[in-house]
Amino acid sequence: MTSTGTSTGTSTGIRLHAPAPGWSLTADVVVVGSGVAGLTTALRCDAAGLRTVVVTKARLDDGSTRWAQGGIAAALGEGDTPEQHLDDTLVAGVGLCDEDAVRILVTEGPDAVRRLIETGAHFDESEAGDLELTREGGHHRRRIAHAGGDATGAEISRALVEAVRARGMRTVENALVLDLLTDTEGRTAGVTLHVMGEGQHDGVGAVHAPAVVLATGGMGQVFSATTNPSVSTGDGVALALRAGAEVSDLEFVQFHPTVLFLGADAEGQQPLVSEAVRGEGAHLVDANGERFMLGQHELAELAPRDIVAKGITRRMQELDAEHMYLDARHFGAHMWEHRFPTILAACRAHGIDPVTEPIPVAPAAHYASGGVRTDSRGRTTVPGLYACGEVACTGVHGANRLASNSLLEGLVYAERIAADIAAGHDENHDENHDENRDERPGRDGHLHARVPSPVARPERPGHPLLAAEARFAIQRIMTDGAGVLRSAGSLETAADRLQQLHADARDALDENGKTAEPGVDTWEATNLLCVARVLVAAARLREETRGCHWREDRAGRDDDNWRRHIVVRLNPDRTLAVHTTDTADFPPTLPRARDSARTGETPTPSPQEQ
């Protein structure tokens, strides 16, 4: 694939098969997601006087953030500097980080953490009253701030949720976002969503707004075993693709090396054993008690996650074992109970006592380093559509996210998104007040944008929906063919099996365009298939091993050909357009100025109808 520079999206006209909206709300901005990225964006937008609606798939405090154990990385300790944090991030990203994006992260990060503390988040402190900092994999300094020992995400979520509720912000809970609404010029005009039978609204509705922020989290449920909650089904990435946005780096799925092993047949969300446990001195050992990471990397157990995951997998293959062990018996009961109470409780709930025995661990899908492509202000290639947090690809993580950079990225880029939306709001008000403003003041006394009218629903049938049980088939296909270890053969098999799932759904359409019954389970399965196919297409194309993309048939890193990003978008005919960037830096996310057909942009080898 050859690169031809930037490719910005226009709406594909593809939408999920769903009933017409039966109710609607109007806002200046709608934020989809209630983790650190979504709630920080919402709070900053609300503080700027923007009418802000938060839409979340579960309860407000059920975002992925609450599951984060280790902490949040920032150069807050004595002797540490943003430059050192930058260096560690670039090393972990294996040549694919956008250095400008990383510099933004590490320089704005410390103050963003301080503002989070001002919002009400309480981090663990030393007896002297300073932040208690720890180390994790890939970090050469102690720079990980944590809360409640190993409950950092829960504390951050608590503080942000309380702040949102204190401001009386409009929220819509138990709502699955469906598709982006756009106006006649292709600009964002809101979203459609389905509320799952609770609250003031029910069924399919719409939130009309000129700015939409996707903060929907990850897509870990595309694999059988993951640390992600059940709601992490790639909804934001799938929505963005249907809206015509570009996604990038989806092949780089980080497998957390130390996830509690619950058996070879275990599926769904698995308990995480935080990297901070290794940061405090736990050792990875095999069944014979040998520390097999010694000599593989200068940091041994604290090497970047891709290296540790590969080390565990290799040792498992050598010994024909299903798991390795994390040995922290030398911590003693007091340290386990006070530093890692959440992990201790999870292990004991599954019959393992880390105080007296090693913990069985194995890698499991953890974090998507790629996602919807954005610029330094969180803008995607669709005007008015923003992305933040795990759903986004800012260029910060490259081929492998550095431990505990995810919460920081959510904070920093959320603030930048809110500032950009507020600046655009003010600029439009100054230049086009008579023509584009609603004369009714909001509750803050400010005049607000007249929301653009979305185009009519397409007459053609919506996107074919998969049966709910297809979710488990997708997970097995992806685990077998695109897991920790990949090859040309395994990826080709995965692509063929995913294509067959789509073909079966497409062929089931009758003359009225009827598919599987619309509902949360079928929409989620359809979204999972969409992101799975993009992931596999990118993984097949990248014929090298880099970061958390491990091709056993292409063991080496190939900087000459592959120190660049793979960018994918969805064509109106449901084929995938795939191209590579010229360098490791992303081109600008400018509005499309030419026809969607691009010189040098080619479809993937096998049929890629979505």
Side-chain angles (χ1 to χ4, degrees):
M1 306 296 172
T2 58
S3 171
T4 59
T6 186
S7 166
T8 52
T10 56
S11 178
T12 64
I14 303 170
R15 294 184 182 174
L16 289 174
H17 188 88
W23 54 269
S24 65
L25 302 173
T26 300
D28 292 321
V29 56
V30 54
V31 177
V32 186
S34 59
V36 62
L39 295 187
T40 300
T41 304
L43 285 167
R44 298 295 182 266
C45 286
D46 188 74
L50 300 172
R51 292 173 301 176
T52 305
V53 173
V54 177
V55 172
T56 186
K57 194 171 180 181
R59 303 293 296 177
L60 202 60
D61 57 358
D62 278 346
S64 294
T65 292
R66 68 185 289 255
W67 298 100
Q69 294 175 347
I72 184 166
L76 295 162
E78 183 177 354
D80 198 3
T81 65
E83 199 68 25
Q84 294 176 68
H85 189 183
L86 181 141
D87 289 343
D88 285 345
T89 301
L90 295 180
V91 169
V94 201
L96 273 192
C97 295
D98 185 314
E99 187 166 340
D100 290 340
V102 178
R103 195 170 297 280
I104 288 170
L105 179 82
V106 299
T107 56
E108 298 182 12
D111 284 343
V113 173
R114 295 182 185 102
R115 284 188 288 273
L116 178 62
I117 293 171
E118 291 171 1
T119 302
H122 301 294
F123 289 92
D124 296 336
E125 296 180 347
S126 66
E127 292 183 359
D130 301 320
L131 282 177
E132 189 175 71
L133 303 175
T134 190
R135 276 182 69 192
E136 291 185 353
H139 293 273
H140 283 79
R141 282 190 174 272
R142 286 183 170 263
R143 65 168 65 98
I144 317 298
H146 49 83
D150 58 358
T152 309
E155 171 58 18
I156 291 173
S157 179
R158 179 205 63 77
L160 292 174
V161 168
E162 285 188 6
V164 165
R165 287 176 173 159
R167 294 190 69 91
M169 203 176 300
R170 187 73 177 265
T171 61
V172 182
E173 297 179 295
N174 303 297
L176 170 64
V177 66
L178 299 176
D179 282 302
L180 190 74
L181 296 172
T182 54
D183 64 15
T184 55
E185 297 180 352
R187 291 190 58 85
T188 294
V191 291
T192 55
L193 62 157
H194 174 78
V195 179
M196 295 172 257
E198 298 183 31
Q200 299 177 25
H201 305 284
D202 192 10
V204 175
V207 181
H208 297 135
V212 170
V213 182
L214 296 177
T216 53
M219 55 184 190
Q221 289 292 325
V222 79
F223 294 97
S224 295
T226 177
T227 63
N228 288 191
S230 61
V231 295
S232 297
T233 51
D235 307 320
V237 171
L239 174 150
L241 282 163
R242 291 191 296 271
E246 291 183 348
V247 302
S248 184
D249 296 1
L250 236 60
E251 69 271 31
F252 295 117
V253 177
Q254 186 177 84
F255 285 76
H256 198 289
T258 53
V259 176
L260 183 62
F261 181 75
L262 300 181
D265 297 327
E267 294 183 339
Q269 186 177 10
Q270 314 284 301
L272 177 67
V273 182
S274 170
E275 198 148 329
V277 177
R278 281 174 281 138
E280 295 293 350
H283 302 146
L284 280 167
V285 298
D286 59 22
N288 300 316
E290 182 179 344
R291 288 182 62 188
F292 55 87
M293 285 304 299
L294 292 176
Q296 293 199 34
H297 190 276
E298 62 168 334
L299 296 176
E301 285 92 351
L302 283 177
R305 287 178 177 174
D306 64 309
I307 294 172
V308 180
K310 291 171 188 175
I312 291 174
T313 303
R314 285 195 188 99
R315 196 63 160 185
M316 287 165 55
Q317 290 177 327
E318 291 170 4
L319 301 179
D320 193 23
E322 294 183 323
H323 61 83
M324 290 290 107
Y325 293 93
L326 188 64
D327 191 354
R329 289 174 291 180
H330 54 285
F331 284 5
H334 178 80
M335 182 172 177
W336 269 111
E337 290 165 0
H338 290 84
R339 180 66 178 86
F340 301 110
T342 306
I343 299 170
L344 178 63
C347 288
R348 285 177 170 171
H350 291 283
I352 305 294
D353 188 351
V355 177
T356 61
E357 58 187 317
I359 306 168
V361 293
H366 181 57
Y367 190 89
S369 293
V372 185
R373 188 168 83 79
T374 74
D375 65 8
S376 63
R377 289 183 275 177
R379 299 177 299 185
T380 74
T381 52
V382 174
L385 179 64
Y386 297 77
C388 191
E390 190 173 355
V391 71
C393 183
T394 62
V396 159
H397 304 308
N400 183 44
R401 174 178 67 90
L402 181 65
S404 289
N405 268 357
S406 53
L407 293 176
L408 190 71
E409 183 194 32
L411 273 183
V412 169
Y413 282 87
E415 293 185 344
R416 296 178 72 84
I417 286 172
D420 191 74
I421 294 173
H425 177 275
D426 292 340
E427 180 180 321
N428 288 338
H429 180 273
D430 291 340
E431 294 180 0
N432 301 303
H433 173 78
D434 293 336
E435 190 175 329
N436 293 324
R437 309 308 291 182
D438 188 336
E439 294 302 325
R440 294 172 300 169
R443 64 180 174 85
D444 52 18
H446 296 170
L447 295 174
H448 295 279
R450 180 171 290 131
V451 177
S453 299
V455 296
R457 288 165 54 84
E459 293 182 1
R460 62 175 173 160
H463 195 301
L465 299 180
L466 273 69
E469 56 267 24
R471 174 177 184 145
F472 304 105
I474 294 166
Q475 291 172 334
R476 287 191 291 271
I477 290 168
M478 294 299 290
T479 297
D480 291 343
V484 178
L485 272 176
R486 302 167 178 175
S487 68
S490 74
L491 291 167
E492 180 179 4
T493 299
D496 290 345
R497 293 172 68 189
L498 293 172
Q499 170 64 19
Q500 189 60 53
L501 284 178
H502 168 71
D504 290 345
R506 181 192 58 207
D507 295 344
L509 288 170
D510 62 22
E511 65 275 9
N512 297 316
K514 184 108 174 131
T515 73
E517 197 65 29
V520 173
D521 291 343
T522 56
W523 287 321
E524 286 184 335
T526 303
N527 285 339
L528 282 172
L529 179 61
C530 180
V531 299
R533 297 183 65 131
V534 175
L535 191 162
V536 169
R540 292 180 74 186
L541 184 60
R542 184 174 290 280
E543 294 184 335
E544 66 160 356
T545 288
R546 183 184 297 270
C548 50
H549 172 65
W550 187 7
R551 288 280 299 261
E552 56 182 341
D553 58 334
R554 293 288 189 273
R557 169 177 160 182
D558 182 359
D559 280 350
D560 289 341
N561 294 306
W562 290 112
R563 191 167 178 259
R564 58 193 67 195
H565 302 275
I566 296 173
V567 179
V568 184
R569 61 179 176 81
L570 185 61
N571 288 323
D573 64 357
R574 297 192 177 108
T575 58
L576 292 180
V578 184
H579 73 280
T580 59
T581 59
D582 291 318
T583 68
D585 295 331
F586 282 124
T589 55
L590 300 175
R592 178 175 290 278
R594 52 190 178 274
D595 186 79
S596 59
R598 301 174 60 251
T599 303
E601 188 174 75
T602 57
T604 49
S606 59
Q608 294 293 338
E609 289 188 2
Q610 292 296 308

